[in-house]
Amino acid sequence: MLLLAAAGLVAFVLLLYMVSPLISPKPLALPGAHVVVTGGSSGIGKCIAIECYKQGAFITLVARNEDKLLQAKKEIEKHSINDKQVVLCISVDVSQDYNQVENVIKQAQEKLGPVDMLVNCAGTSMSGKFEELEVSSFEKLMSINYLGSVYPSRAVITTMKERRVGRIVFVSSQAGQLGLFGFTAYSSSKFAIRGLAEALQMEVKPYNVYVTVAYPPDTDTPGLAEENKTKPLETRLISETTAVCKPEQVAKQIVKDAIQGNFNSSIGSDGYMLSSLTCGMAPVTSITEGLQQVVTMGLFRTIALFYLGSFDNIVRRCMVQKTKPEVVDKTA
């Protein structure tokens, strides 16, 4: 009976692998495609633009700082594979005025054609204890990280649906999968992106438009360097339990997943485990992916409990260290 059960399981898995490609989206061809990258003047956004450019895409870079945009343009152009490729730069704040965002997207499409892939990479981070963060910090992060992704996506979606082709990428964070000490404002804005992405994917999938949510870990970017200046001790110690990734590595994985139409894009073993643990009712690109999540859920949950326990221990140790001087003063 055991042999029959094992044989049945093997046959079932093989069947899934055979059927899986039939329900997976057709990969997007990047040569000649028009890719718009917000937050494309530095960090992960710039590396994504370079990766797409290396594969023959035409690039529109969107960011606020004109000087940084021009510097990024020069760097990206070094990776061209043919003389026809173009890098267009547009300076605009994608989180402030939808009509302005819509207009610049129209300008980009007039010059380089319809947008085939939009990468929402504009974002910022801010950390601190909940009661110590200004209320304006919550508003700012929701505006930049969430609305800064809503506006460009809203500006391109109609054309993508009409053409029956397109990719929309939302760059979230592992802090958008797991709430951590010090990230009450940041995690909230990144969790919101997932809700947007899941609902949007259900709407646009019949039109052959696919959404990807990327969950990069701490990545060696100017944004992380700025964040580390004000990061609470507890947050810093928790962050140090995982390695810092290179932006080039993160960009390659995001572009690969977006081309394939994968809903989730994660980096490394920790990223894979988190994506499986937090999959919930998220879409799957293939039956195989769904089966893998079902099989690994129990094991990954067990591992996650150890992680959570270690994070709680870090918070408690920091609390004890901070209260020790107070105890000494009272007994003196």
Side-chain angles (χ1 to χ4, degrees):
M1 290 296 292
L2 288 175
L3 287 175
L4 286 174
L9 179 61
V10 171
F12 178 64
V13 171
L14 289 174
L15 179 62
L16 288 178
Y17 273 101
M18 292 172 64
V19 174
S20 179
L22 300 179
I23 67 168
S24 298
K26 182 180 178 181
L28 178 70
L30 277 187
H34 181 192
V35 178
V36 175
V37 184
T38 70
S41 62
S42 64
I44 295 174
K46 183 178 71 174
C47 290
I48 287 175
I50 290 173
E51 184 63 27
C52 292
Y53 202 65
K54 285 179 179 179
Q55 298 187 40
F58 290 67
I59 304 295
T60 295
L61 288 180
V62 181
R64 291 174 298 178
N65 190 303
E66 290 187 21
D67 292 335
K68 289 183 178 180
L69 275 171
L70 293 175
Q71 292 174 4
K73 173 182 168 72
K74 292 178 181 178
E75 186 175 344
I76 294 167
E77 288 176 337
K78 296 177 183 178
H79 301 277
S80 64
I81 62 172
N82 62 64
D83 297 334
K84 297 180 180 179
Q85 283 179 276
V86 176
V87 179
L88 177 66
C89 293
I90 299 178
S91 176
V92 68
D93 187 338
V94 294
S95 68
Q96 292 301 310
D97 185 345
Y98 171 70
N99 290 326
Q100 190 177 19
V101 173
E102 186 179 36
N103 287 334
V104 299
I105 292 295
K106 285 180 179 178
Q107 293 172 20
Q109 294 190 122
E110 288 171 0
K111 294 180 179 180
L112 300 182
V115 177
D116 297 289
M117 181 190 294
L118 167 67
V119 182
N120 292 292
C121 205
T124 189
S125 177
M126 199 176 297
S127 57
K129 290 183 179 179
F130 180 66
E131 69 275 14
E132 295 175 0
L133 285 169
E134 297 291 337
V135 172
S136 60
S137 299
F138 290 83
E139 296 168 346
K140 179 180 179 180
L141 289 181
M142 285 301 294
S143 175
I144 296 174
N145 294 344
Y146 179 67
L147 293 179
S149 294
V150 171
Y151 293 165
S153 302
R154 179 66 178 77
V156 303
I157 197 65
T158 300
T159 304
M160 285 185 175
K161 289 172 71 175
E162 289 173 350
R163 296 175 62 228
R164 295 293 199 275
V165 64
R167 297 286 191 272
I168 296 180
V169 180
F170 296 101
V171 179
S172 179
S173 164
Q174 286 188 351
Q177 297 172 296
L178 169 67
L180 294 174
F181 188 106
F183 282 152
T184 50
Y186 180 63
S187 283
S188 302
S189 65
K190 290 298 188 177
F191 265 84
I193 289 176
R194 172 173 172 164
L196 167 66
E198 288 190 8
L200 181 60
Q201 177 64 99
M202 190 174 290
E203 290 187 17
V204 300
K205 188 175 180 180
Y207 297 90
N208 194 41
V209 177
Y210 287 88
V211 175
T212 297
V213 187
Y215 300 102
D218 280 349
T219 305
D220 187 12
T221 65
L224 179 65
E226 190 65 27
E227 174 191 321
N228 285 337
K229 292 178 181 179
T230 58
K231 189 177 285 184
L233 175 62
E234 294 91 339
T235 312
R236 180 167 55 80
L237 291 175
I238 290 172
S239 298
E240 289 174 356
T241 60
T242 58
V244 176
C245 287
K246 295 292 183 182
E248 295 83 3
Q249 175 193 0
V250 173
K252 284 184 178 181
Q253 187 63 50
I254 292 174
V255 172
K256 178 182 176 182
D257 287 324
I259 289 173
Q260 296 297 327
N262 295 334
F263 184 77
N264 281 301
S265 179
S266 58
I267 311 298
S269 57
D270 285 348
Y272 176 74
M273 182 180 73
L274 266 178
S275 291
S276 295
L277 274 172
T278 60
C279 61
M281 291 289 288
V284 292
T285 309
S286 67
I287 297 175
T288 306
E289 180 186 1
L291 179 64
Q292 289 171 343
Q293 291 168 351
V294 170
V295 171
T296 59
M297 183 66 73
L299 173 62
F300 286 166
R301 179 57 178 166
T302 303
I303 297 172
L305 291 175
F306 283 99
Y307 271 99
L308 291 171
S310 68
F311 296 161
D312 286 340
N313 284 333
I314 288 173
V315 174
R316 280 195 292 267
R317 288 202 306 270
C318 290
M319 184 178 178
V320 169
Q321 289 176 3
K322 291 175 182 177
T323 55
K324 274 183 179 179
E326 297 179 9
V327 174
V328 172
D329 291 340
K330 289 178 181 179
T331 56

